Amino acid sequence: MRKLLIVYILTYSCTLINAQEIITLKQCYDAAYSASSLAREKGAYSEISSIKQQNISKGWLPSLDLNGSAFYNSDVVDLSVALGNLPVPGIAGAIRPMPHDQYKITLDINQVIFDGGAVRGARGMEQAEQRVNEKQTETDLYKLKSQVNTYYFTIMLLRRQKELVSIYHELLDKRMRSVRSAIENGVLLRSDADVLQSELINLDQQLSENDIKTSSLITVLSSLTGLKIDSSSQFETPVSAGADSAGLNRPELELLDMRREQLSAGEALVSSKRMPKAFGFATLGYGNPPGSNFFMDQFDTYYIIGAGVKWNIFDWNRAKNEKQVITLQKGIIDGRKADLTDNLNRQIEMKKSEIVTLEKLVISDSALVQVRKRITASAESQHLNGTITATEYLNILNNEKQALINSEIHRINLALARVELLNITGKEPE
């Protein structure tokens, strides 16, 4: 029987622990990223880039073009006229004039031998564009952190406020029983009970309002993250280690660096346009006359093979102007990065100042709460002895309650401020 009891206790304890699922801020971040439609963009960009890379690589493959034509020439070369004056009998009649109509079907093949780095430059440009697109997605996803922080810490604060209000509701309820006993003994007036009862109703309203707000925020956070969060879920206060360490790791800064790299890739692509190009070509045909044999008036096959070089030795400074534009664009990006860095550093200093202020408030809150508790304890005995009214007692009790609530607000706001400092620097809580 004893063994069965132990097994039952262990089973019940495990069930209770599982029922109160622990939710962490990092878990909410990751879940919000995964649940967002933006997260699927990364896979799409990777697939798009892969397809583009395949197309770019095919620039080294030969091109095949099938062509056909039929036309009629009003005037053609007739060598019989020119050869008729030669002292060779019958030679003019032996040479037939060229046909006026011509027909041909050809398969033209072109093969790049040297492209001056055009394919390599296009591939580098595409890779840079992919990195920019993926980092832009990360930057947009990073904004979700602020939303998660707001809901996460507000829920924590509302829950802690509910705990405190519930405690004071229980204290007032016990106090009400003592007051009723004192009224029956003629020590206190009926109005004292009415004052306490009105405060109990007020606390009930606060608890009801708190439940509605908490439930609404949990629903929103669940929708944002895709996690199954309910009233039994426990929110863990994050550890903000490394918040004071130097260095910025914001995705916006990385995005600007990648945009600059993209411009450099574009600059290399512009340079490739001025490089010489070498290519080979071949034509496989069937026509009348076949190829350049204009004296053969019948259909036959033929082929042409060859190689060529193309070099744009003067482009009217187009490439130079394009590079100048890229240089100006790089300057714009450098300026934006400097402004963003300065702005983030200012935010860091302001947030650090806020943290120092909240740390001092949390320390002083502890002393203030102890003083308020002593004042309330003294007021309880004074009220029972009839030396102060119920209203005066409630005012003192509310001061203690407000001191406790303010203490929790400062404590949770301190945790939020430390997390926000991590977000500004681009780091994450543990």
Side-chain angles (χ1 to χ4, degrees):
M1 187 69 181
R2 186 177 180 183
K3 291 182 178 179
L4 289 174
L5 181 61
I6 293 174
V7 171
Y8 173 78
I9 292 173
L10 291 175
T11 304
Y12 177 78
S13 300
C14 292
T15 303
L16 185 61
I17 292 172
N18 290 332
Q20 294 181 341
E21 183 183 3
I22 303 298
I23 303 294
T24 66
L25 184 62
K26 179 67 166 56
Q27 183 182 0
C28 288
Y29 285 163
D30 296 338
Y33 285 3
S34 300
S36 174
S37 59
L38 293 173
R40 292 186 286 274
E41 289 186 3
K42 263 195 169 183
Y45 283 131
S46 178
E47 187 174 356
I48 290 171
S49 179
S50 177
I51 295 173
K52 288 185 176 181
Q53 290 282 359
Q54 292 177 17
N55 284 342
I56 292 172
S57 298
K58 289 175 182 177
W60 284 106
L61 298 178
S63 64
L64 304 175
D65 296 304
L66 184 64
N67 300 301
S69 64
F71 55 91
Y72 180 86
N73 290 320
S74 61
D75 295 312
V76 295
V77 176
D78 188 356
L79 293 180
S80 61
V81 176
L83 297 176
N85 297 324
L86 294 176
V88 181
I91 190 172
I95 300 177
R96 300 176 59 186
M98 293 176 57
H100 289 265
D101 55 330
Q102 297 182 19
Y103 311 89
K104 64 179 178 178
I105 297 177
T106 62
L107 177 63
D108 297 325
I109 304 172
N110 287 278
Q111 172 64 56
V112 175
I113 299 174
F114 178 72
D115 68 346
V119 171
R120 183 176 65 251
R123 187 182 291 115
M125 188 70 177
E126 175 53 35
Q127 291 172 347
E129 183 178 356
Q130 180 191 2
R131 290 193 293 268
V132 167
N133 290 333
E134 290 180 348
K135 185 57 66 173
Q136 181 64 62
T137 300
E138 289 182 20
T139 302
D140 295 336
L141 284 171
Y142 197 82
K143 298 174 184 177
L144 290 174
K145 285 188 174 183
S146 297
Q147 298 181 45
V148 172
N149 289 342
T150 300
Y151 301 133
Y152 189 92
F153 284 97
T154 304
I155 291 172
M156 287 183 61
L157 181 58
L158 287 172
R159 284 184 166 180
R160 187 54 184 149
Q161 287 178 344
K162 181 181 179 180
E163 292 175 5
L164 295 175
V165 172
S166 298
I167 291 173
Y168 280 98
H169 189 283
E170 185 178 350
L171 289 175
L172 273 183
D173 194 49
K174 292 179 180 178
R175 186 68 179 172
M176 175 66 80
R177 290 194 292 268
S178 299
V179 168
R180 285 172 180 168
S181 176
I183 291 173
E184 292 174 358
N185 295 327
V187 178
L188 296 176
L189 299 175
R190 178 69 184 176
S191 59
D192 288 276
D194 291 338
V195 171
L196 294 181
Q197 185 63 38
S198 66
E199 183 63 19
L200 283 170
I201 295 174
N202 182 41
L203 293 178
D204 286 332
Q205 291 176 340
Q206 292 181 27
L207 290 172
S208 177
E209 183 181 3
N210 185 289
D211 287 338
I212 294 173
K213 289 182 178 179
T214 303
S215 177
S216 176
L217 288 172
I218 287 177
T219 301
V220 173
L221 185 59
S222 298
S223 175
L224 181 63
T225 60
L227 297 173
K228 294 181 179 179
I229 305 174
D230 53 36
S231 57
S232 65
S233 302
Q234 299 299 310
F235 286 64
E236 186 180 80
T237 302
V239 178
S240 304
D244 296 332
S245 59
L248 292 171
N249 193 31
R250 287 288 291 258
E252 296 93 332
L253 294 174
E254 296 177 2
L255 177 61
L256 291 173
D257 289 337
M258 290 182 178
R259 289 195 183 280
R260 203 176 195 285
E261 293 175 4
Q262 185 181 23
L263 290 174
S264 297
E267 193 172 16
L269 186 60
V270 171
S271 298
S272 70
K273 295 179 181 179
R274 296 299 313 279
M275 298 296 292
K277 311 289 190 298
F279 57 92
F281 61 89
T283 298
L284 305 178
Y286 179 76
N288 180 17
S292 298
N293 189 359
F294 298 106
F295 298 104
M296 183 175 180
D297 189 9
Q298 66 181 35
F299 284 91
D300 200 359
T301 59
Y302 66 95
Y303 67 90
I304 301 171
I305 59 174
V309 176
K310 181 179 180 181
W311 190 0
N312 184 8
I313 60 175
F314 186 70
D315 67 346
W316 304 99
N317 289 330
R318 288 192 183 93
K320 180 180 178 181
N321 291 338
E322 289 180 19
K323 289 183 178 181
Q324 186 176 359
V325 169
I326 291 175
T327 300
L328 293 173
Q329 290 174 331
K330 285 183 177 180
I332 292 174
I333 289 177
D334 292 340
R336 288 188 177 182
K337 183 178 180 180
D339 289 342
L340 179 57
T341 301
D342 292 341
N343 184 38
L344 290 174
N345 286 328
R346 286 191 292 268
Q347 292 182 37
I348 289 173
E349 292 304 317
M350 291 178 64
K351 192 58 63 176
K352 285 183 177 180
S353 176
E354 180 183 347
I355 290 173
V356 171
T357 301
L358 288 170
E359 287 174 342
K360 292 180 179 179
L361 288 174
V362 168
I363 294 173
S364 62
D365 282 337
S366 179
L368 178 60
V369 168
Q370 295 302 319
V371 173
R372 287 296 181 188
K373 284 183 177 295
R374 291 197 298 268
I375 295 174
T376 302
S378 175
E380 286 180 4
S381 60
Q382 291 177 10
H383 179 237
L384 286 177
N385 294 329
T387 56
I388 62 174
T389 64
T391 301
E392 291 173 325
Y393 166 71
L394 281 180
N395 288 335
I396 295 174
L397 183 65
N398 283 331
N399 287 335
E400 178 191 341
K401 181 186 73 173
Q402 192 59 49
L404 269 172
I405 291 176
N406 288 340
S407 175
E408 291 302 316
I409 291 174
H410 294 153
R411 185 180 65 82
I412 294 176
N413 281 343
L414 176 59
L416 173 60
R418 287 170 174 167
V419 168
E420 288 176 339
L421 179 58
L422 286 177
N423 287 347
I424 293 173
T425 58
K427 303 178 180 66
E428 289 190 351
E430 298 179 359

